[in-house]
Amino acid sequence: MYVNLNGKLVEEKRAAIPITDHGFLYGDAIYETMRTVEGKLWMFDEHIKRLKASAKIVGMKVPYSKKEIREMIEQLLVKNKLKEARVRITLSRGSNKLDFGPAKNPTFLIQPAKIKLPPKELYENGISVITYEIERAIPQIKSASMLPTIMAYQHALKKKAHEALLVDHRGRVTEGSMSNVFFVRKGKVITPKKNILEGTVRNLVIKMAKAKQTTIKKRDLQKLDECFITSTIKGILPVTKINGKNVGNGEVGPITKILMKKL
C-alpha cells in the first residue's frame, strides 16, 4: 500500500515520521476521514472545509490547496487499485522542538485503505450502545488526541456493545465515541447541540430530516422512540438497545428506515 507523506508517494512500510514530531509526542495533530462511493470521493469539499477550520483553531495551516489534495488522493486510489476506499488525512505540527506556535515543518499524511463496512445484519437489526461519562477537549475539532474516545470505545467493547455515547458532567448526551447520534421523539428527529464535533454526515442528516438540535439528558434516553448513529464510513446505523434496554419496541424504527434509504 502506498501513502502520500508531505507531497511524496511512499510505500506505507517505508514511510517514516521523526520521533520528535508533535503529533507523536503531544497528540498535536488533526485529521479527517473520508470515503469513496462508487469510486468517487464523497463529500470531499465538506471534509476539506472542516480540516481547514480545525487547523485554524489549533494554529496550523493546511500546506496544500483543495485541488492538490484531491489530486493526491486520486493518485493514491489509482496507485493502490482501490475503488471503494477509506481515506484519512493527518496534519501535525511536525518537529517543532518545544515551540507550540506556528508549524514550521508540518507533517501532512494521506493514508488510503480498503473500506470495511459494518455487516448487513447490523443495518437490518440495529446495534447496542452504552453510555460513558467522559468529555473530549475542544470537541469542535477533529483532533488526533483521541484518548477520551478510545477509553469510551474500550468500555463499549467490554460491555459487548458496538458504540459508546459520551455523557458530559451535566448528564447531557453529546456524541458517540466514533460517531454522532440522533434520536426520534414523538415523530421528530433530534440531536445533541453542544460540545460535539459537527460531523459531515450529521450536517447532511440534519438538513434531510429537519432535525432539531437540543439538549438530551442521559436520564431521558429510555423515553425516546428511535435512535441511530451517523458517520462517514457507517452512514446511518440504527440503534435498538441503550445500556441493555430496548429503544422503543427494540426494532429499527420507521423514521430511521426512511432516512437510511434517503442517504
Side-chain angles (χ1 to χ4, degrees):
M1 188 70 71
Y2 283 83
V3 302
N4 188 300
L5 178 59
N6 296 324
K8 297 180 180 179
L9 213 60
V10 186
E11 281 188 83
E12 188 174 53
K13 62 183 179 181
R14 298 185 185 278
I17 294 171
I19 60 172
T20 53
D21 191 281
H22 275 215
F24 169 70
L25 291 177
Y26 311 111
D28 185 7
I30 57 172
Y31 76 101
E32 278 293 325
T33 301
M34 61 189 79
R35 62 167 294 183
T36 60
V37 175
E38 296 181 354
K40 303 294 183 182
L41 285 169
W42 186 50
M43 300 185 73
F44 173 77
D45 289 351
E46 290 82 353
H47 283 286
I48 297 303
K49 181 179 179 180
R50 188 172 64 179
L51 179 70
K52 290 183 176 181
S54 293
K56 184 177 180 180
I57 291 171
V58 300
M60 288 192 275
K61 290 184 179 180
V62 179
Y64 301 99
S65 69
K66 183 169 70 173
K67 180 182 177 182
E68 288 172 325
I69 294 171
R70 179 184 280 276
E71 289 174 351
M72 289 177 189
I73 294 173
E74 290 176 345
Q75 180 189 36
L76 283 172
L77 296 176
V78 172
K79 183 70 175 179
N80 291 301
K81 298 179 180 178
L82 291 171
K83 183 178 180 182
E84 299 308 318
R86 174 184 181 274
V87 180
R88 172 173 164 142
I89 299 174
T90 305
L91 173 65
S92 89
R93 207 172 302 273
S95 295
N96 229 38
K97 297 185 178 181
L98 290 177
D99 182 358
F100 293 92
K104 300 177 183 67
N105 299 291
T107 297
F108 188 82
L109 175 66
I110 305 176
Q111 296 170 279
K114 187 176 180 180
I115 200 164
K116 185 178 181 181
L117 300 174
K120 184 180 178 181
E121 56 265 26
L122 296 186
Y123 290 94
E124 295 173 346
N125 303 322
I127 63 170
S128 63
V129 304
I130 52 93
T131 55
Y132 189 75
E133 294 184 8
I134 202 165
E135 298 178 51
R136 290 195 302 117
I138 323 176
Q140 65 267 34
I141 68 170
K142 202 165 178 67
S143 170
S145 302
M146 293 181 64
L147 191 56
T149 55
I150 288 170
M151 290 173 64
Y153 188 72
Q154 286 177 339
H155 184 70
L157 293 180
K158 288 178 183 177
K159 296 292 184 180
K160 297 183 179 179
H162 291 86
E163 173 64 301
L165 303 184
L166 310 189
V167 178
D168 69 15
H169 67 285
R170 294 183 179 179
R172 300 175 297 193
V173 178
T174 55
E175 58 193 334
S177 70
M178 309 285 177
S179 62
N180 289 114
V181 63
F182 288 79
F183 304 95
V184 177
R185 180 174 60 193
K186 297 180 181 179
K188 303 293 184 181
V189 180
I190 59 176
T191 191
K193 181 179 182 179
K194 295 182 177 180
N195 300 322
I196 59 165
L197 176 71
E198 294 189 5
T200 54
V201 177
R202 173 186 181 271
N203 291 337
L204 183 61
V205 172
I206 286 174
K207 293 177 182 178
M208 190 168 63
K210 297 180 180 179
K212 180 182 178 181
Q213 300 178 63
T214 186
T215 297
I216 299 149
K217 294 279 190 174
K218 176 184 174 182
R219 64 172 180 260
D220 296 326
L221 290 178
Q222 296 307 315
K223 300 176 185 177
L224 301 168
D225 304 315
E226 300 178 37
C227 177
F228 59 88
I229 61 172
T230 62
S231 77
T232 294
I233 304 301
K234 299 180 179 71
I236 294 176
L237 191 55
V239 174
T240 49
K241 284 186 183 294
I242 300 178
N243 291 331
K245 296 181 180 179
N246 285 346
V247 178
N249 63 5
E251 298 179 355
V252 179
I255 292 178
T256 302
K257 288 180 178 179
I258 291 170
L259 293 173
M260 288 170 69
K261 288 180 180 179
K262 285 184 176 182
L263 189 64

